[in-house]
Amino acid sequence: REVFDYPYDEVAAVVGKSPENCRQILARARRHVEEGRHRFDVSREERDEVARRFIAAWEEGDTEGLVELLAPDVTVYGDGGGKAPSIPAPLVGAERVAKALVGWGEQTRRWGLVHRPAHVNGEPGLVFYDSDGRAVIVAALEVADGVVVAMRSVLNPDKVAHVPPR
C-alpha cells in the first residue's frame, strides 16, 4: 500500500484479507514503527529459559501464564502442506494464541502424541511423536526480548520425514 500506492481493495485481494483488515494492519505497523520498539537477539540460555517456562505453562494448560510469555503481537504459523491439518492463516495476538495453544495441547494428548524439547534450526522448540515413535509435528519458538514472538509448526509429513524417530 505505502510503496506501490495500491488502493486497499487491491491490497486486500492480493493478501487475502478484507480492506478493513488491511487498514488495521497498516495502522498497527505505523504505530510499531513510531514507537521505535526494537527486538533484540537474546542469548541461547535466555531463549532456552523462556522456552522452558513456555512449555511448562503450555503443559499445565495455563492460558494466563502463556499470555505473559508471549509478545502482544505473537504470530503462529502452521505448515500442513495440504497433507495434514493446520491453521489456514497465521494466528496473531497473545490471548488468541494462548487459547489456541491450550486447545491444541489437549488435542495432541487425545491423539496420544508425546513431545520432547529440541532445538529446531537453532531455536528452542518441540518435536511431537506418534505412538510408533515417528515425528509428526516439529515446532520452533522465536524468542526476543524475553518473550515468544513467533511459533512455526511443520505438520507436513513430507517435511518431517527426515526427523529421527523417538
Side-chain angles (χ1 to χ4, degrees):
R1 163 87 175 118
E2 293 295 295
V3 174
F4 298 109
D5 199 30
Y6 286 159
Y8 284 105
D9 58 336
E10 286 185 41
V11 173
V14 170
V15 299
K17 305 232 180 254
S18 72
E20 296 77 22
N21 191 259
C22 290
R23 282 186 185 87
Q24 182 62 42
I25 291 168
L26 179 59
R28 286 184 188 142
R30 281 186 179 140
R31 277 194 308 272
H32 181 80
V33 170
E34 288 167 4
E35 289 172 2
R37 189 175 79 192
H38 300 285
R39 290 190 169 149
F40 298 99
D41 287 333
V42 294
S43 70
R44 183 176 183 140
E45 293 78 22
E46 184 179 348
R47 285 193 314 259
D48 289 347
E49 176 59 20
V50 170
R52 185 195 62 72
R53 292 178 23 231
F54 170 90
I55 292 168
W58 173 72
E59 288 173 337
E60 294 169 13
D62 180 4
T63 303
E64 290 179 24
L66 282 170
V67 168
E68 291 176 13
L69 292 165
L70 298 172
D73 59 347
V74 63
T75 305
V76 172
Y77 305 90
D79 177 3
K83 298 182 177 189
S86 76
I87 56 176
L91 185 62
V92 180
E95 186 83 20
R96 290 181 68 204
V97 166
K99 288 178 181 178
L101 288 170
V102 169
W104 294 333
E106 293 169 2
Q107 197 171 37
T108 62
R109 286 186 287 281
R110 280 195 308 274
W111 291 343
L113 301 181
V114 296
H115 61 276
R116 299 284 182 265
H119 280 96
V120 180
N121 296 328
E123 299 285 349
L126 293 165
V127 178
F128 293 81
Y129 300 91
D130 66 13
S131 59
D132 295 326
R134 287 185 304 251
V136 293
I137 304 170
V138 176
L141 303 173
E142 182 182 340
V143 177
D145 297 335
V147 293
V148 175
V149 297
M151 181 175 175
R152 292 172 179 79
S153 300
V154 178
L155 299 91
N156 183 332
D158 296 337
K159 293 182 179 180
V160 298
H162 72 282
V163 177
R166 179 170 50 114

